[in-house]
Amino acid sequence: MIDLYKLPPEGLRLNGAVDRLPLEGDAALRDLEWALFALPSGQDIFLEVKGQAIWEGTCSRCLVPLDRPLAVSSQFLGSKDPDLVGRGAHTLGSQDLDVVFLPEDTLEEAEVVREQFELQAPMHPLCSDDCKGLCPTCGKNWNKGPCQCRPEADRAPSALSRALSKALAGIKLDPES
Ligand SMILES: [Zn+2]
Ligand SMILES: [Zn+2]
């Protein structure tokens, strides 16, 4: 717990680490390490969060478990002033900083860190760019091969066959043949 209004004038530096921190949904962070810096700036607080972790989640198409290294380096201004928060950004020195509403006098260190990682977490992670996903009928992972539900030709056309049918569409075929 950080007391925002009793910070030393030179700022407060905190380092932390946890083995595992759950995120929203079924994702989590593993081997999380962070460094947090809080510096009083007038009535507001300059905050910096730097850290790294392994993000654990699932492929958004085929749902296999995924691991991704995740690094965070963010700086923002915490303020109690609703006017400043309403403007959304504030220039401090040469930096344009996002303003985050901090109505309380105290700040939960792990919560701030978790929020910053949450913002960096992949939105639609894929096990590979051409992940084929799951069969909506039987649930089989199509990356492991076709299922028995539908004949090959009925499935979503590949880029090659799309290009091929586009090319064929340009050729006039004799309707009688
Ligand atoms: Zn996948
Ligand atoms: Zn199927």
Side-chain angles (χ1 to χ4, degrees):
M1 193 78 96
I2 306 165
D3 195 329
L4 292 174
Y5 296 92
K6 287 179 186 157
L7 292 172
E10 73 278 13
L12 179 69
R13 286 182 192 279
L14 295 167
N15 292 289
V18 291
D19 290 342
R20 192 178 170 81
L21 186 73
L23 297 179
E24 274 170 30
D26 54 5
L29 297 173
R30 192 176 75 219
D31 301 336
L32 168 66
E33 291 178 8
W34 72 82
L36 188 144
F37 178 52
L39 180 71
S41 167
Q43 296 301 302
D44 309 310
I45 319 289
F46 169 81
L47 287 156
E48 181 182 71
V49 177
K50 288 187 176 179
Q52 57 192 27
I54 305 293
W55 176 87
E56 289 180 349
T58 51
C59 172
S60 59
R61 282 190 205 149
C62 74
L63 308 179
V64 298
L66 290 182
D67 276 13
R68 290 285 153 82
L70 197 62
V72 158
S73 176
S74 65
Q75 297 166 332
F76 52 98
L77 200 68
S79 180
K80 270 186 172 182
D81 178 357
D83 290 340
L84 189 64
V85 175
R87 288 203 291 276
H90 180 73
T91 306
L92 194 68
S94 60
Q95 264 186 306
D96 260 341
L97 295 172
D98 286 340
V99 182
V100 172
F101 190 42
L102 294 178
E104 310 289 336
D105 290 353
T106 56
L107 197 61
E108 198 67 63
E109 183 186 354
E111 190 55 27
V112 181
V113 172
R114 195 191 60 77
E115 273 174 19
Q116 295 306 310
F117 273 88
E118 194 88 69
L119 291 172
Q120 294 292 320
M123 297 291 285
H124 299 288
L126 294 176
C127 60
S128 77
D129 285 343
D130 57 357
C131 171
K132 297 181 179 72
L134 301 177
C135 171
T137 309
C138 71
K140 171 155 182 171
N141 186 340
W142 280 339
N143 297 311
K144 294 179 180 157
C147 58
Q148 304 303 315
C149 294
R150 290 182 289 170
E152 189 81 19
D154 276 6
R155 250 183 267 124
S158 68
L160 178 66
S161 69
R162 273 201 303 273
L164 210 58
S165 47
K166 214 173 168 181
L168 287 173
I171 302 168
K172 276 229 184 308
L173 294 173
D174 182 358
E176 301 303 321
S177 68

PDB file of all heavy atoms in Angstrom, residues 8 27 31 33-34 45-46 48-49 57 103 105 112-114 125 139 142 153 164 167 174:
ATOM      1  N   PRO A   8       7.999  10.795  -0.206  1.00  0.00           N
ATOM      2  CA  PRO A   8       9.169  11.675  -0.051  1.00  0.00           C
ATOM      3  C   PRO A   8       9.342  12.538  -1.299  1.00  0.00           C
ATOM      4  O   PRO A   8       8.952  12.115  -2.389  1.00  0.00           O
ATOM      5  CB  PRO A   8      10.335  10.678   0.104  1.00  0.00           C
ATOM      6  CG  PRO A   8       9.850   9.385  -0.454  1.00  0.00           C
ATOM      7  CD  PRO A   8       8.353   9.382  -0.309  1.00  0.00           C
ATOM      8  N   ALA A  27      -6.854 -15.693 -18.340  1.00  0.00           N
ATOM      9  CA  ALA A  27      -5.431 -15.414 -18.520  1.00  0.00           C
ATOM     10  C   ALA A  27      -4.755 -15.155 -17.171  1.00  0.00           C
ATOM     11  O   ALA A  27      -5.422 -14.932 -16.155  1.00  0.00           O
ATOM     12  CB  ALA A  27      -5.247 -14.218 -19.440  1.00  0.00           C
ATOM     13  N   ASP A  31       5.760 -15.420 -13.386  1.00  0.00           N
ATOM     14  CA  ASP A  31       7.109 -14.859 -13.187  1.00  0.00           C
ATOM     15  C   ASP A  31       7.116 -13.344 -13.394  1.00  0.00           C
ATOM     16  O   ASP A  31       7.932 -12.804 -14.123  1.00  0.00           O
ATOM     17  CB  ASP A  31       8.115 -15.513 -14.151  1.00  0.00           C
ATOM     18  CG  ASP A  31       8.182 -17.016 -13.955  1.00  0.00           C
ATOM     19  OD1 ASP A  31       7.850 -17.471 -12.843  1.00  0.00           O
ATOM     20  OD2 ASP A  31       8.540 -17.726 -14.901  1.00  0.00           O
ATOM     21  N   GLU A  33       7.720  -9.536 -12.584  1.00  0.00           N
ATOM     22  CA  GLU A  33       8.638  -8.661 -11.838  1.00  0.00           C
ATOM     23  C   GLU A  33       8.324  -7.235 -12.230  1.00  0.00           C
ATOM     24  O   GLU A  33       8.060  -6.965 -13.395  1.00  0.00           O
ATOM     25  CB  GLU A  33      10.096  -8.940 -12.219  1.00  0.00           C
ATOM     26  CG  GLU A  33      10.616 -10.263 -11.756  1.00  0.00           C
ATOM     27  CD  GLU A  33      12.058 -10.483 -12.225  1.00  0.00           C
ATOM     28  OE1 GLU A  33      12.669  -9.535 -12.772  1.00  0.00           O
ATOM     29  OE2 GLU A  33      12.543 -11.603 -12.048  1.00  0.00           O
ATOM     30  N   TRP A  34       8.373  -6.334 -11.276  1.00  0.00           N
ATOM     31  CA  TRP A  34       8.098  -4.949 -11.621  1.00  0.00           C
ATOM     32  C   TRP A  34       8.907  -3.972 -10.772  1.00  0.00           C
ATOM     33  O   TRP A  34       9.417  -4.321  -9.710  1.00  0.00           O
ATOM     34  CB  TRP A  34       6.608  -4.631 -11.483  1.00  0.00           C
ATOM     35  CG  TRP A  34       6.120  -4.542 -10.059  1.00  0.00           C
ATOM     36  CD1 TRP A  34       6.223  -3.460  -9.227  1.00  0.00           C
ATOM     37  CD2 TRP A  34       5.467  -5.568  -9.315  1.00  0.00           C
ATOM     38  NE1 TRP A  34       5.652  -3.756  -8.006  1.00  0.00           N
ATOM     39  CE2 TRP A  34       5.181  -5.046  -8.038  1.00  0.00           C
ATOM     40  CE3 TRP A  34       5.088  -6.870  -9.607  1.00  0.00           C
ATOM     41  CZ2 TRP A  34       4.547  -5.792  -7.046  1.00  0.00           C
ATOM     42  CZ3 TRP A  34       4.450  -7.613  -8.618  1.00  0.00           C
ATOM     43  CH2 TRP A  34       4.187  -7.073  -7.365  1.00  0.00           C
ATOM     44  N   ILE A  45       0.412  12.985  -8.810  1.00  0.00           N
ATOM     45  CA  ILE A  45       1.475  12.005  -8.608  1.00  0.00           C
ATOM     46  C   ILE A  45       1.925  11.485  -9.969  1.00  0.00           C
ATOM     47  O   ILE A  45       1.108  10.971 -10.736  1.00  0.00           O
ATOM     48  CB  ILE A  45       0.986  10.782  -7.785  1.00  0.00           C
ATOM     49  CG1 ILE A  45       0.071  11.194  -6.632  1.00  0.00           C
ATOM     50  CG2 ILE A  45       2.164   9.939  -7.327  1.00  0.00           C
ATOM     51  CD1 ILE A  45       0.750  11.892  -5.500  1.00  0.00           C
ATOM     52  N   PHE A  46       3.214  11.619 -10.239  1.00  0.00           N
ATOM     53  CA  PHE A  46       3.774  10.995 -11.431  1.00  0.00           C
ATOM     54  C   PHE A  46       4.056   9.539 -11.103  1.00  0.00           C
ATOM     55  O   PHE A  46       4.672   9.227 -10.080  1.00  0.00           O
ATOM     56  CB  PHE A  46       5.070  11.717 -11.832  1.00  0.00           C
ATOM     57  CG  PHE A  46       5.854  10.996 -12.893  1.00  0.00           C
ATOM     58  CD1 PHE A  46       5.498  11.116 -14.227  1.00  0.00           C
ATOM     59  CD2 PHE A  46       6.935  10.185 -12.560  1.00  0.00           C
ATOM     60  CE1 PHE A  46       6.218  10.445 -15.210  1.00  0.00           C
ATOM     61  CE2 PHE A  46       7.654   9.511 -13.538  1.00  0.00           C
ATOM     62  CZ  PHE A  46       7.285   9.645 -14.866  1.00  0.00           C
ATOM     63  N   GLU A  48       5.331   5.670 -12.611  1.00  0.00           N
ATOM     64  CA  GLU A  48       5.983   4.896 -13.662  1.00  0.00           C
ATOM     65  C   GLU A  48       5.958   3.422 -13.258  1.00  0.00           C
ATOM     66  O   GLU A  48       6.308   3.077 -12.129  1.00  0.00           O
ATOM     67  CB  GLU A  48       7.433   5.350 -13.833  1.00  0.00           C
ATOM     68  CG  GLU A  48       8.167   4.600 -14.924  1.00  0.00           C
ATOM     69  CD  GLU A  48       9.621   5.037 -15.024  1.00  0.00           C
ATOM     70  OE1 GLU A  48      10.392   4.692 -14.104  1.00  0.00           O
ATOM     71  OE2 GLU A  48       9.958   5.724 -15.995  1.00  0.00           O
ATOM     72  N   VAL A  49       5.510   2.585 -14.193  1.00  0.00           N
ATOM     73  CA  VAL A  49       5.501   1.136 -13.957  1.00  0.00           C
ATOM     74  C   VAL A  49       6.320   0.474 -15.052  1.00  0.00           C
ATOM     75  O   VAL A  49       6.048   0.672 -16.238  1.00  0.00           O
ATOM     76  CB  VAL A  49       4.062   0.565 -13.976  1.00  0.00           C
ATOM     77  CG1 VAL A  49       4.091  -0.948 -13.807  1.00  0.00           C
ATOM     78  CG2 VAL A  49       3.210   1.208 -12.900  1.00  0.00           C
ATOM     79  N   GLY A  57      -2.271 -17.473 -21.699  1.00  0.00           N
ATOM     80  CA  GLY A  57      -3.663 -17.375 -22.129  1.00  0.00           C
ATOM     81  C   GLY A  57      -3.961 -18.489 -23.104  1.00  0.00           C
ATOM     82  O   GLY A  57      -3.308 -19.535 -23.090  1.00  0.00           O
ATOM     83  N   PRO A 103      -8.877   8.692  -6.874  1.00  0.00           N
ATOM     84  CA  PRO A 103      -9.642   9.412  -5.852  1.00  0.00           C
ATOM     85  C   PRO A 103      -9.185   9.107  -4.424  1.00  0.00           C
ATOM     86  O   PRO A 103      -9.417   9.908  -3.525  1.00  0.00           O
ATOM     87  CB  PRO A 103     -11.080   8.924  -6.080  1.00  0.00           C
ATOM     88  CG  PRO A 103     -10.946   7.609  -6.776  1.00  0.00           C
ATOM     89  CD  PRO A 103      -9.658   7.645  -7.538  1.00  0.00           C
ATOM     90  N   ASP A 105      -6.475   8.221  -1.250  1.00  0.00           N
ATOM     91  CA  ASP A 105      -5.163   8.708  -0.814  1.00  0.00           C
ATOM     92  C   ASP A 105      -4.100   7.624  -0.898  1.00  0.00           C
ATOM     93  O   ASP A 105      -2.908   7.905  -0.798  1.00  0.00           O
ATOM     94  CB  ASP A 105      -5.245   9.193   0.646  1.00  0.00           C
ATOM     95  CG  ASP A 105      -6.054  10.483   0.755  1.00  0.00           C
ATOM     96  OD1 ASP A 105      -6.414  11.043  -0.299  1.00  0.00           O
ATOM     97  OD2 ASP A 105      -6.322  10.903   1.891  1.00  0.00           O
ATOM     98  N   VAL A 112      -2.079  -1.534  -9.377  1.00  0.00           N
ATOM     99  CA  VAL A 112      -1.581  -0.643 -10.437  1.00  0.00           C
ATOM    100  C   VAL A 112      -0.778  -1.445 -11.452  1.00  0.00           C
ATOM    101  O   VAL A 112      -0.935  -1.281 -12.663  1.00  0.00           O
ATOM    102  CB  VAL A 112      -0.666   0.455  -9.839  1.00  0.00           C
ATOM    103  CG1 VAL A 112      -0.169   1.384 -10.928  1.00  0.00           C
ATOM    104  CG2 VAL A 112      -1.394   1.229  -8.779  1.00  0.00           C
ATOM    105  N   VAL A 113       0.064  -2.314 -10.960  1.00  0.00           N
ATOM    106  CA  VAL A 113       0.901  -3.133 -11.832  1.00  0.00           C
ATOM    107  C   VAL A 113       0.017  -4.044 -12.688  1.00  0.00           C
ATOM    108  O   VAL A 113       0.186  -4.127 -13.906  1.00  0.00           O
ATOM    109  CB  VAL A 113       1.899  -3.967 -10.988  1.00  0.00           C
ATOM    110  CG1 VAL A 113       2.641  -4.965 -11.862  1.00  0.00           C
ATOM    111  CG2 VAL A 113       2.883  -3.042 -10.272  1.00  0.00           C
ATOM    112  N   ARG A 114      -0.961  -4.683 -12.075  1.00  0.00           N
ATOM    113  CA  ARG A 114      -1.851  -5.583 -12.800  1.00  0.00           C
ATOM    114  C   ARG A 114      -2.596  -4.839 -13.915  1.00  0.00           C
ATOM    115  O   ARG A 114      -2.692  -5.312 -15.041  1.00  0.00           O
ATOM    116  CB  ARG A 114      -2.878  -6.216 -11.845  1.00  0.00           C
ATOM    117  CG  ARG A 114      -3.614  -7.415 -12.426  1.00  0.00           C
ATOM    118  CD  ARG A 114      -4.796  -7.831 -11.555  1.00  0.00           C
ATOM    119  NE  ARG A 114      -5.774  -6.760 -11.418  1.00  0.00           N
ATOM    120  CZ  ARG A 114      -6.648  -6.410 -12.350  1.00  0.00           C
ATOM    121  NH1 ARG A 114      -6.702  -7.065 -13.476  1.00  0.00           N
ATOM    122  NH2 ARG A 114      -7.472  -5.408 -12.161  1.00  0.00           N
ATOM    123  N   PRO A 125      -5.064 -13.145 -29.266  1.00  0.00           N
ATOM    124  CA  PRO A 125      -3.835 -13.910 -29.491  1.00  0.00           C
ATOM    125  C   PRO A 125      -4.108 -15.132 -30.365  1.00  0.00           C
ATOM    126  O   PRO A 125      -5.179 -15.738 -30.271  1.00  0.00           O
ATOM    127  CB  PRO A 125      -3.424 -14.340 -28.083  1.00  0.00           C
ATOM    128  CG  PRO A 125      -4.694 -14.339 -27.300  1.00  0.00           C
ATOM    129  CD  PRO A 125      -5.533 -13.239 -27.877  1.00  0.00           C
ATOM    130  N   GLY A 139     -16.094 -29.556 -32.799  1.00  0.00           N
ATOM    131  CA  GLY A 139     -15.105 -29.031 -31.873  1.00  0.00           C
ATOM    132  C   GLY A 139     -13.693 -29.508 -32.132  1.00  0.00           C
ATOM    133  O   GLY A 139     -12.780 -29.190 -31.390  1.00  0.00           O
ATOM    134  N   TRP A 142      -8.878 -27.990 -36.055  1.00  0.00           N
ATOM    135  CA  TRP A 142      -8.561 -28.171 -37.480  1.00  0.00           C
ATOM    136  C   TRP A 142      -7.071 -28.065 -37.770  1.00  0.00           C
ATOM    137  O   TRP A 142      -6.618 -28.448 -38.847  1.00  0.00           O
ATOM    138  CB  TRP A 142      -9.350 -27.166 -38.334  1.00  0.00           C
ATOM    139  CG  TRP A 142     -10.768 -27.589 -38.571  1.00  0.00           C
ATOM    140  CD1 TRP A 142     -11.285 -28.851 -38.488  1.00  0.00           C
ATOM    141  CD2 TRP A 142     -11.859 -26.749 -38.947  1.00  0.00           C
ATOM    142  NE1 TRP A 142     -12.623 -28.851 -38.771  1.00  0.00           N
ATOM    143  CE2 TRP A 142     -13.001 -27.569 -39.066  1.00  0.00           C
ATOM    144  CE3 TRP A 142     -11.979 -25.379 -39.188  1.00  0.00           C
ATOM    145  CZ2 TRP A 142     -14.252 -27.065 -39.419  1.00  0.00           C
ATOM    146  CZ3 TRP A 142     -13.231 -24.875 -39.540  1.00  0.00           C
ATOM    147  CH2 TRP A 142     -14.353 -25.714 -39.647  1.00  0.00           C
ATOM    148  N   ALA A 153     -14.621 -29.665 -49.784  1.00  0.00           N
ATOM    149  CA  ALA A 153     -14.953 -28.516 -50.627  1.00  0.00           C
ATOM    150  C   ALA A 153     -15.844 -27.499 -49.909  1.00  0.00           C
ATOM    151  O   ALA A 153     -15.856 -26.333 -50.275  1.00  0.00           O
ATOM    152  CB  ALA A 153     -15.651 -28.982 -51.896  1.00  0.00           C
ATOM    153  N   LEU A 164      -7.879 -18.615 -57.093  1.00  0.00           N
ATOM    154  CA  LEU A 164      -8.166 -19.439 -58.267  1.00  0.00           C
ATOM    155  C   LEU A 164      -9.585 -19.172 -58.786  1.00  0.00           C
ATOM    156  O   LEU A 164      -9.797 -18.979 -59.990  1.00  0.00           O
ATOM    157  CB  LEU A 164      -8.022 -20.922 -57.873  1.00  0.00           C
ATOM    158  CG  LEU A 164      -7.590 -21.884 -58.960  1.00  0.00           C
ATOM    159  CD1 LEU A 164      -6.250 -21.462 -59.542  1.00  0.00           C
ATOM    160  CD2 LEU A 164      -7.495 -23.303 -58.401  1.00  0.00           C
ATOM    161  N   ALA A 167      -9.789 -15.890 -60.487  1.00  0.00           N
ATOM    162  CA  ALA A 167      -9.216 -15.949 -61.823  1.00  0.00           C
ATOM    163  C   ALA A 167     -10.172 -16.626 -62.794  1.00  0.00           C
ATOM    164  O   ALA A 167     -10.371 -16.180 -63.924  1.00  0.00           O
ATOM    165  CB  ALA A 167      -7.876 -16.688 -61.793  1.00  0.00           C
ATOM    166  N   ASP A 174     -18.347 -21.372 -71.782  1.00  0.00           N
ATOM    167  CA  ASP A 174     -19.527 -21.679 -72.614  1.00  0.00           C
ATOM    168  C   ASP A 174     -20.540 -22.415 -71.733  1.00  0.00           C
ATOM    169  O   ASP A 174     -20.271 -23.483 -71.230  1.00  0.00           O
ATOM    170  CB  ASP A 174     -19.083 -22.554 -73.785  1.00  0.00           C
ATOM    171  CG  ASP A 174     -20.244 -22.868 -74.711  1.00  0.00           C
ATOM    172  OD1 ASP A 174     -21.394 -22.424 -74.405  1.00  0.00           O
ATOM    173  OD2 ASP A 174     -20.000 -23.552 -75.710  1.00  0.00           O
TER     174      ASP A 174
END
